[in-house]
Structure formats: C-alpha cells, structure tokens
Amino acid sequence: MRGLSEKHRQVLVLAYDEGLTQSQIAERIDAPVGTVKTRTFHALRAMREDLTRRGFDA
Amino acid sequence: MPEPAHDHDRLVLYLLDELGAEERVSFEAHLDGCASCATEAESLGGVAGKLATMAPATVPPDLTAGVLAAVESVASADARLAAGGDLATVEWGREMNGTHRSLPEPGREPVVGPTAVRSEKRPRRSAWSGWPLRVGFAAAFAAMTAAIVIAVGSDGSGVTAPVEIQGTLSGDSSGEIVVSELGSGREVELTSSELPILPKGELYEIWFVGPGDAPADPNRISGGTFHPDEAGNTDVTLHAAVDPALYPLIEITAEPGSGDPAVEGDVIARLDGSDQLP
C-alpha cells in the first residue's frame, strides 16, 4: 500500500471501510464530488498497479 | 465507428454499486459500446471486489503491550525531567502506587483498522464480490487503513490547507487539480490518467499565468515540472511560491527539457481559476 498516495488511500478507506458514498466522502473531506470520483478512479488504478507489482492477480 | 467518450465518473459509481437501476442499465449499455471502459471495468472490478471483501485483521496482543510500554517509558522520562528527579525513583513510585496503565485482558485481542474507532458502518456491496480473500493482502490493507485513520484525524477531514482553486483541466488531456494555500506558498495537487508519456528527456510543466501573458512579454510563474509514471498515471504534489489571485490561469505545457526556463512547449491542458478567487 506504500504505492498509494495519502489522498488515494483516504478515499478508499472512506468508501470501503466506513461505507460512505462518493457524495458523503465529498462532504466529509470538503471537496467536489467530481474530484472524489476522479480520485477514487485513480486510487483503484494505483491499487491495481500496486497489486500487480507485488505479484497479486489484480 | 469511434468509441464514445470514456465515462470514468459513472464507472466509479458502477464499481461502488452506487448507480440506480436505470443508470446501471444505461451504463452497462455504454460498456457494450466502449471497449476501453469495459476493460477498465473488468480490471478495476477485481480490485473493487477485493476491497469489498476485506476484513479487519487482528494483531498479537503483545503488539499493543509493546506500544503502550514504549509510550509509558517516554511519559516516565518526561515526568522525571519535569520533576527534576531521576528516572528510577519515578518508575518505583508509579509501581508502588499502582498507577501503571492497565493492559487489555488476555484473550481480548485488539482490533486494528477503522472498525476499532467506528463501530457502525454500511457494508459496501460490490458487483464484483466473491473474490477469494488473501490473508496477506488483508493484513497489508488493514495496516494501511489504520495509518490513514490516524492521518485523516478524528473529524475525518484530512484537509488542513484552504483550497483556492479546484477543478477539472480541459484541453488535449484532462485531470483534476487542487491548489491549496500553505504558509510557505501554494501546494498543487495534480491527478490525471490522460497525460501522454513523453519521450525521454521531455517533461510537463505547470504554469500560473497572469493577465497579459504573451511570448514576447511573459507574465507567468512556474509551478514545477513532472512526468507520468510508467503506467501513464500522474499523481503529483508540487509547491510554488505564487499567488493565484495574481496568476489565476493554470496551464500545463509539454516542454522539451532543453534547460531553458522559458515556456517552449505546447499547452496540453488548462484551468481558469479566476472565478473561484475572492
């Protein structure tokens, strides 16, 4: 997970652990919902790359 | 026939199961006609499915005991220094008075991860659930989430610097940019998956452009240089001593890497932040 930036980890944690919707995350971190969705998209991509680098079948 | 525009926003909502029934059908129709989004959905769906099946990991009780002991040790040293006494006396007194912090009872293993601080959560469903849980992956993610809970803080905001400009870049490539005010200048956060990988030696440069800027009479300040990673993703944080109120237009140019500090390359993307400034 070291490959993920803090902001990427933040949106994934809020989405997957706290179960917040993208709109709720936007409200929580005081950012436009479009930014949150873009950030989540790139976070998932970064996660995929990180898993692949570590030999997991992403 | 050309492919339709990629719809990453709805793709994210699709992966997170946040689309309504009608929107879902509509997006799946989009996937049928967009090979790029379909491939992305399948690939990222695997990651989303793994995340959805993550379980909080437990750690050995002695880990907590070790951490508490270390904290106790530091606190004792501070107390000794504050009192002007010696460490041995302070420790002896605490033992005799029974003031040592009690540790968790044996058999009650602490749980790391956000569930340790937040008991209510909405289970995240996923259209891609059913992937096997990999224990090593879960443990790594749990450790990561624990770190993030600390980083986000109790209010979950994680935002410490006021945002001045925030939005989507337009032009040949897109992306998201956030400019925040710091005491020492501005922090520029740029995220994009569309900036092409440049030939070796070339680089991208962020510019803050002011009124009247022209090649013969430039009025711009560089916000730094960067390039995408090997996978073509850009996720950079740069710092610039610039006031967006004076230079509200943000441009990204592809520079030849010639060493000339002047702008030489084409504008790839831009965002006019003037309407966001006071």
Side-chain angles (χ1 to χ4, degrees), chain A residues 5 7-10 15-22 29 32 35 38-39 42 45 48 51 56-57, chain B residues 16 18 40 43 48 50 114 118 121-122 124 134 137 144 148 157 159 166 176 189 191-193 235:
Chain A
S5 71
K7 287 174 178 171
H8 282 171
R9 288 195 299 265
Q10 182 188 48
Y16 284 96
D17 196 84
E18 298 207 18
L20 301 184
T21 65
Q22 296 288 282
I29 68 174
T35 298
T38 299
R39 203 172 284 174
H42 290 293
R45 269 189 165 181
R48 179 184 62 194
L51 287 171
F56 286 100
D57 188 14
Chain B
L16 297 175
E18 289 186 28
E40 201 77 87
S43 177
K50 283 183 171 68
R118 183 178 291 272
K121 53 185 285 190
R122 180 175 68 87
R124 167 70 67 188
R134 296 176 188 274
F137 178 81
M144 175 271 287
I148 288 308
S157 68
V159 176
Q166 185 163 9
E176 292 292 326
E189 179 200 1
T191 307
S192 175
S193 60
D235 180 16

Side-chain angles (χ1 to χ4, degrees), chain B residues 125-270:
Chain B
R125 294 192 297 123
S126 170
W128 303 87
S129 60
W131 289 76
L133 175 65
R134 296 176 188 274
V135 174
F137 178 81
F141 186 74
M144 175 271 287
T145 55
I148 288 308
V149 165
I150 294 170
V152 168
S154 57
D155 64 352
S157 68
V159 176
T160 55
V163 172
E164 292 179 303
I165 297 176
Q166 185 163 9
T168 302
L169 294 162
S170 60
D172 293 341
S173 297
S174 185
E176 292 292 326
I177 195 162
V178 180
V179 179
S180 306
E181 183 178 4
L182 298 178
S184 56
R186 279 4 181 228
E187 179 185 78
V188 184
E189 179 200 1
L190 172 65
T191 307
S192 175
S193 60
E194 297 186 10
L195 290 170
I197 295 176
L198 296 171
K200 189 174 178 61
E202 296 186 15
L203 47 87
Y204 288 109
E205 187 157 11
I206 294 181
W207 299 94
F208 288 84
V209 184
D213 175 75
D217 186 19
N219 183 31
R220 58 175 56 211
I221 293 177
S222 174
T225 58
F226 65 93
H227 57 72
D229 63 19
E230 293 176 350
N233 295 317
T234 299
D235 180 16
V236 294
T237 301
L238 305 171
H239 293 90
V242 61
D243 184 354
L246 302 175
Y247 303 88
L249 176 62
I250 300 171
E251 286 186 348
I252 295 177
T253 59
E255 296 293 321
S258 62
D260 187 337
V263 60
E264 295 180 272
D266 295 331
V267 176
I268 304 299
R270 57 164 50 90

Side-chain angles (χ1 to χ4, degrees), chain A:
Chain A
M1 303 312 117
R2 284 170 295 184
L4 294 186
S5 71
E6 179 182 325
K7 287 174 178 171
H8 282 171
R9 288 195 299 265
Q10 182 188 48
V11 292
L12 291 185
V13 167
L14 292 174
Y16 284 96
D17 196 84
E18 298 207 18
L20 301 184
T21 65
Q22 296 288 282
S23 299
Q24 289 169 331
I25 293 172
E27 192 174 334
R28 173 76 72 88
I29 68 174
D30 193 24
V33 69
T35 298
V36 172
K37 285 188 277 194
T38 299
R39 203 172 284 174
T40 302
F41 174 74
H42 290 293
L44 289 172
R45 269 189 165 181
M47 191 88 172
R48 179 184 62 194
E49 303 303 327
D50 191 61
L51 287 171
T52 302
R53 272 197 302 272
R54 291 166 190 272
F56 286 100
D57 188 14

